[in-house]
Amino acid sequence: EKDLPKSAVEEICRRTKKNRSSMLTDRMNENPMEIESIISSILQMGERRGGSLPLLQTLEKMLLAIIGGDWRW
């Protein structure tokens, strides 16, 4: 796995800044969010590389708590 150059990441962010994420769209349409396939898989990639992503781990836990409760948009 190769890392993208910072300039490429910044360009992607600029080009997609008005997009709505698929998980937000799912939540707003009362569909299941793809937490495991999106967030959890990134966390697993980080672990395989010997790193940790504490902010993303917190986000994952918060999203799982949201779907476990009765939160509405």
Side-chain angles (χ1 to χ4, degrees), residues 13-50:
C13 291
R14 273 192 291 280
R15 290 190 349 230
T16 61
K17 68 182 177 183
K18 293 185 181 181
N19 291 8
R20 179 174 284 166
S21 75
S22 63
M23 286 201 308
L24 175 57
T25 301
D26 287 341
R27 183 66 183 163
M28 292 176 76
N29 292 325
E30 298 184 8
N31 294 322
M33 292 187 290
E34 302 168 309
I35 298 167
E36 290 82 9
S37 60
I38 297 174
I39 305 293
S40 303
S41 64
I42 294 170
L43 289 171
Q44 291 169 2
M45 284 173 43
E47 288 173 7
R48 284 195 301 271
R49 289 179 157 198

Side-chain angles (χ1 to χ4, degrees), residues 50-69:
S52 68
L53 302 164
L55 183 59
L56 193 57
Q57 288 172 333
T58 301
L59 177 62
E60 177 192 42
K61 288 179 178 147
M62 291 171 67
L63 290 170
L64 291 170
I66 287 170
I67 65 171

